[in-house]
Amino acid sequence: MGHRVLVVDDDATVSDVVRRYLEQAGCEVHLAADGADGLAAIAAHRPDLVVLDLMMPGIDGLEVCRRIRRQLPGLPVIMLTALGEEADRVLGLEVGADDYVTKPFSPRELVLRIQSVLRRAAGSAPRPAASTTLRDGELIVDTARRVADRAGAPLSLTVREFDLLVFLMSHPGRAWSRAELLDRVWGWQFGDQSTVTVHVRRLREKIEDDPAEPARIRTVWGVGYSYDPVEQGARR
């Protein structure tokens, strides 16, 4: 892999296991024992991805993720959450986590999740074959450079938000279930479908004039979501 990964967790045993598996996968790994140390390590080491425990003393994972999103919106974050704490997982996604893994977890699964997010962040995820630019009115998405802007203003999108937007814009008018989006965008055959719900809500806040009455990402009741271009010919 050859990437720098920062693991922020106050459980030294968990951190050590994750470090060993990531180093076997070719990563350079840095460890931090709490939120404050994690923020300092981000500034010092500029990691390619952060593995972030949710529950920590002092500055917890939610606040660390909020600060990352304010300062480095494109830095991928994978949140570690307690098994069964759905509300905590949703909160982590709400503040900008790209992905989450529940404790106890398989270190191999975590490495695969990290590899998946890093591939997408590097732009190696599948792209529309016909073009590298998607356009819908004032919304323009450059899939090659992985940047998007609306009315000339850059959009701060996480890795998963960008992937979801590209996928939906590439299939206008097609209704997708949450399970299908989880499979096609996240690559998960099984998982918490609230992940999709939260990412759709965050995307609407960034691309819709009125997120409460979305014109682009429409809810298809009983199915899931569809992308309806505000202008015809949303691809160039």
Side-chain angles (χ1 to χ4, degrees):
M1 292 169 64
H3 292 97
R4 292 186 303 276
V5 177
L6 172 65
V7 180
V8 186
D9 197 312
D10 61 330
D11 187 326
T13 300
V14 171
S15 294
D16 185 61
V17 170
V18 173
R19 176 186 59 77
R20 286 190 284 110
Y21 272 82
L22 285 172
E23 287 179 345
Q24 289 173 8
C27 289
E28 174 187 331
V29 183
H30 298 275
L31 303 180
D34 56 38
D37 286 346
L39 291 169
I42 290 170
H45 301 296
R46 291 291 176 176
D48 299 305
L49 181 144
V50 177
V51 178
L52 181 61
D53 187 32
L54 179 65
M55 301 300 295
M56 293 183 293
I59 304 175
D60 65 14
L62 291 174
E63 179 58 26
V64 172
C65 192
R66 288 189 189 98
R67 297 188 191 186
I68 290 173
R69 285 294 162 253
R70 287 197 297 266
Q71 299 168 14
L72 298 166
L75 176 60
V77 175
I78 294 181
M79 192 80 78
L80 300 180
T81 69
L83 182 63
E85 296 296 332
E86 181 180 355
D88 289 340
R89 294 199 297 273
V90 171
L91 274 175
L93 294 169
E94 289 279 13
V95 299
D98 294 284
D99 206 342
Y100 70 87
V101 174
T102 55
K103 293 181 176 181
F105 58 85
S106 160
R108 290 186 179 87
E109 178 192 356
L110 177 59
V111 171
L112 290 174
R113 293 283 185 92
I114 290 170
Q115 290 172 329
S116 172
V117 173
L118 285 170
R119 280 195 301 269
R120 290 180 178 275
S124 58
R127 300 184 187 126
S131 174
T132 60
T133 302
L134 300 172
R135 183 187 299 271
D136 180 22
E138 80 282 7
L139 177 63
I140 302 173
V141 179
D142 185 329
T143 64
R145 296 174 53 230
R146 292 187 65 86
V147 295
D149 64 77
R150 181 173 178 237
L155 296 177
S156 294
L157 302 176
T158 67
V159 172
R160 296 296 192 189
E161 288 171 351
F162 186 90
D163 292 339
L164 179 59
L165 178 59
V166 168
F167 183 82
L168 290 172
M169 289 184 73
S170 299
H171 302 86
R174 176 18 168 124
W176 299 91
S177 70
R178 291 171 179 82
E180 287 175 321
L181 290 172
L182 206 59
D183 180 27
R184 299 291 293 273
V185 178
W186 278 259
W188 303 355
Q189 279 69 50
F190 304 96
D192 183 357
Q193 294 183 17
S194 65
T195 299
V196 176
T197 305
V198 172
H199 278 77
V200 166
R201 183 160 61 243
R202 286 185 0 210
L203 261 183
R204 283 171 169 168
E205 292 171 354
K206 297 177 181 182
I207 70 170
E208 302 281 4
D209 291 332
D210 181 1
E213 296 289 339
R216 287 188 165 98
I217 303 179
R218 306 290 294 274
T219 298
V220 181
W221 297 108
V223 181
Y225 304 102
S226 70
Y227 189 91
D228 293 345
V230 297
E231 293 186 2
Q232 295 300 312
R235 183 180 298 185
R236 175 172 64 80

